[in-house]
Amino acid sequence: MWAGGRVQYSHSNPLTLDAGRGVCAEFIRNMTVKGNEGEEKLFVSIERRLAKATTDELEGLSHAQVDALSKETFEHRVRQRLWRDDEGDFGPCSILETRNIVFMRNRSKEEAAAESARTAGKKIEPKHVADWKHSIVPDAKLLFRFSALTFNAHAIHLDPEYCREVEGHRNLLFHGPLSYVFMVTLLQQQLRKQGNEVVKQVEYRNIAPLYCHEPVTFCGTKTGPNKYEIWTQNAEGGMAVKGSVITEQASSLSP
């Protein structure tokens, strides 16, 4: 289960659409076991570091050695260059993403259905009035395309029968990361209208399921200087995803 995450952007060292090459290395930052014996949940923080590709990984090699360089060796050199002991240290990276994933024990259909009903039936009222909002009704085609785009083959987004018979949900699940894309895209549109702020950091948490063929509303508001709250509401108006954003002035960034 995708519980949430954090994305941080280094605008002084951005990834740009200039036909250059980029690299991404994924690491396990930490793991924690929580819960009573027999009902444990494993919380895993997966860190992704995105940066511009350089020739550093190939330094000291002849042309023949470069041609013979294995994929594993290249990946090892990339990982060595990007890793930092301090999770807040960007190093040469442009984007740091932390994904919080929860692994659970196998459950019966009845146990899964009870858990899904408990989560879906818990309405969490938004704490703020939205300054902007946008609603959609997702269909199976949208979920399929986002699954393909993100290489996510989990049946919970693709197979309605699996959702009902195995996971205990009433329909296909809307992707947590897709909520993130909508929320941040709408925020960026607002930032462009009102000045030259850019997103520096987003922390978000998935707290309730969203379903295919049911209205989904993306909302946001400014809560202070360079601070915003963004959230996604389900068909009943309860919060399903909530996020906090820190921005910075584009003019203050190094060229």
Side-chain angles (χ1 to χ4, degrees):
M1 180 177 67
W2 193 307
R6 180 180 67 238
V7 186
Q8 302 172 81
Y9 301 91
S10 175
H11 293 287
S12 61
N13 179 32
L15 286 176
T16 55
L17 297 176
D18 58 2
R21 293 193 176 190
V23 290
C24 175
E26 186 172 274
F27 309 89
I28 295 178
R29 175 56 70 173
N30 57 61
M31 295 185 293
T32 306
V33 177
K34 297 181 180 181
N36 299 323
E37 184 176 353
E39 300 177 347
E40 303 94 334
K41 294 181 180 180
L42 179 62
F43 293 77
V44 182
S45 293
I46 298 175
E47 186 174 279
R48 293 166 63 90
R49 292 177 166 258
L50 288 77
K52 298 172 185 175
T54 72
T55 58
D56 293 349
E57 288 83 15
L58 308 179
E59 186 177 0
L61 299 179
S62 67
H63 289 297
Q65 289 172 319
V66 170
D67 291 340
L69 188 65
S70 69
K71 177 182 177 183
E72 290 76 14
T73 301
F74 179 77
E75 289 180 350
H76 177 68
R77 293 187 174 207
V78 170
R79 293 172 67 83
Q80 282 188 314
R81 180 168 69 93
L82 300 188
W83 171 256
R84 293 293 184 275
D85 290 336
D86 180 357
E87 63 181 309
D89 183 354
F90 271 83
C93 296
S94 300
I95 300 173
L96 297 184
E97 179 187 6
T98 301
R99 300 178 174 185
N100 299 323
I101 310 297
V102 182
F103 294 88
M104 298 171 286
R105 291 181 178 274
N106 288 333
R107 300 170 296 175
S108 68
K109 175 184 174 181
E110 292 73 22
E111 290 172 332
E115 175 67 17
S116 299
R118 183 189 66 81
T119 305
K122 184 180 178 181
K123 184 176 179 180
I124 302 176
E125 297 289 346
K127 295 182 179 180
H128 303 280
V129 176
D131 289 334
W132 66 85
K133 61 175 61 178
H134 178 75
S135 297
I136 66 169
V137 179
D139 59 17
K141 290 186 291 185
L142 173 63
L143 303 189
F144 174 82
R145 288 170 176 168
F146 191 76
S147 289
L149 179 66
T150 56
F151 299 95
N152 183 348
H154 200 304
I156 207 164
H157 305 299
L158 302 169
D159 185 346
E161 184 176 356
Y162 171 87
C163 292
R164 291 189 292 267
E165 298 301 319
V166 177
E167 297 288 351
H169 289 287
R170 58 178 177 263
N171 208 334
L172 298 174
L173 280 191
F174 191 81
H175 304 71
L178 186 50
S179 290
Y180 176 90
V181 171
F182 272 99
M183 292 189 303
V184 174
T185 298
L186 290 167
L187 171 62
Q188 289 173 326
Q189 291 176 353
Q190 296 298 317
L191 295 180
R192 285 194 291 269
K193 292 178 183 178
Q194 63 191 40
N196 62 344
E197 290 178 69
V198 290
V199 175
K200 180 180 180 181
Q201 175 180 294
V202 183
E203 291 198 49
Y204 67 99
R205 189 158 66 95
N206 300 317
I207 53 181
L210 295 164
Y211 293 106
C212 184
H213 300 306
E214 296 183 15
V216 177
T217 303
F218 311 99
C219 308
T221 188
K222 186 170 186 176
T223 57
N226 299 112
K227 292 183 179 181
Y228 296 82
E229 291 293 313
I230 54 177
W231 65 95
T232 303
Q233 296 178 187
N234 57 24
E236 292 76 34
M239 281 202 302
V241 185
K242 64 177 182 178
S244 298
V245 182
I246 298 173
T247 63
E248 59 185 348
Q249 298 300 121
S251 59
S252 67
L253 303 175
S254 301

